[in-house]
Amino acid sequence: MGRRDRHHYGVLTLDEINRRISERAHALGVDIECFQSNHEGALVDKLQEGAGSIDGVVINAGALTHYGLSLKDALTDAGVPVVEVHLSNIHAREEWRRHSVLADTALAQIAGLGWRGYTAALEALAGIIGDETG
Ligand SMILES: O=C1C[C@@](O)(C(=O)O)C[C@@H](O)[C@@H]1O
């Protein structure tokens, strides 16, 4: 982040995005952990390690969105609500980006809001988890 195509992904570094997410989590009274890896197995490990101690997942799976079936299984096995986030509007880009193998595992997908997609997802997920009205 910060070095990828600015038009699609914005100019903020990952640290800066994580800082904004952490600030919003603090304001919401939510405990979060931000985790990034370029390796699918590391993401799977992280989800498996979190079993029983996480209430929800906000995930941008990058290109794994389009083919990451191990990640999809791990998200399903996590058994918690998942919100899929994309910085860019994947539905307005190349044909191969429009299909997400994670989408039917997720509660919702947010695409095209840039870094604000993460805070929007966090806020919605925290609200849904903490509110029995759904
Ligand atoms: O790495 C990414 C980023 C992305 O998930 C997004 O945030 O818009 C969209 C994916 O197609 C791409 O491979």
Side-chain angles (χ1 to χ4, degrees), residues 31 34 40 52 87 98 114:
D31 287 330
C34 298
E40 186 170 9
L87 297 160
R98 295 179 193 171

Side-chain angles (χ1 to χ4, degrees), residues 3-75:
R3 280 180 284 167
R4 297 191 68 185
D5 180 340
R6 294 169 164 229
H7 169 68
H8 289 301
Y9 305 125
V11 297
L12 297 186
T13 62
L14 185 61
D15 282 349
E16 182 57 28
I17 292 174
N18 286 346
R19 194 180 63 74
R20 291 173 188 217
I21 295 168
S22 297
E23 276 177 8
R24 184 63 58 90
H26 184 72
L28 291 166
V30 169
D31 287 330
I32 58 150
E33 180 179 349
C34 298
F35 180 75
Q36 190 279 335
S37 177
N38 292 337
H39 304 280
E40 186 170 9
L43 298 168
V44 170
D45 288 348
K46 192 71 183 171
L47 287 164
Q48 290 179 348
E49 283 161 16
S53 63
I54 56 172
D55 297 317
V57 176
V58 173
I59 187 163
N60 183 343
L64 291 170
T65 300
H66 314 297
Y67 64 91
L69 295 178
S70 297
L71 181 59
K72 176 187 176 69
D73 277 350
L75 286 168

Side-chain angles (χ1 to χ4, degrees), residues 83-133:
V83 180
E84 177 185 346
V85 171
H86 299 286
L87 297 160
S88 64
N89 181 359
I90 55 173
H91 303 288
R93 299 182 64 190
E94 303 96 316
E95 185 66 38
W96 62 267
R97 281 187 210 275
R98 295 179 193 171
H99 179 67
S100 164
V101 299
L102 310 179
D104 63 346
T105 306
L107 180 66
Q109 184 191 75
I110 297 174
L113 297 183
W115 65 267
R116 291 178 179 82
Y118 294 114
T119 50
L122 176 65
E123 195 158 338
L125 200 51
I128 287 167
I129 290 167
D131 180 354
E132 286 170 9
T133 62

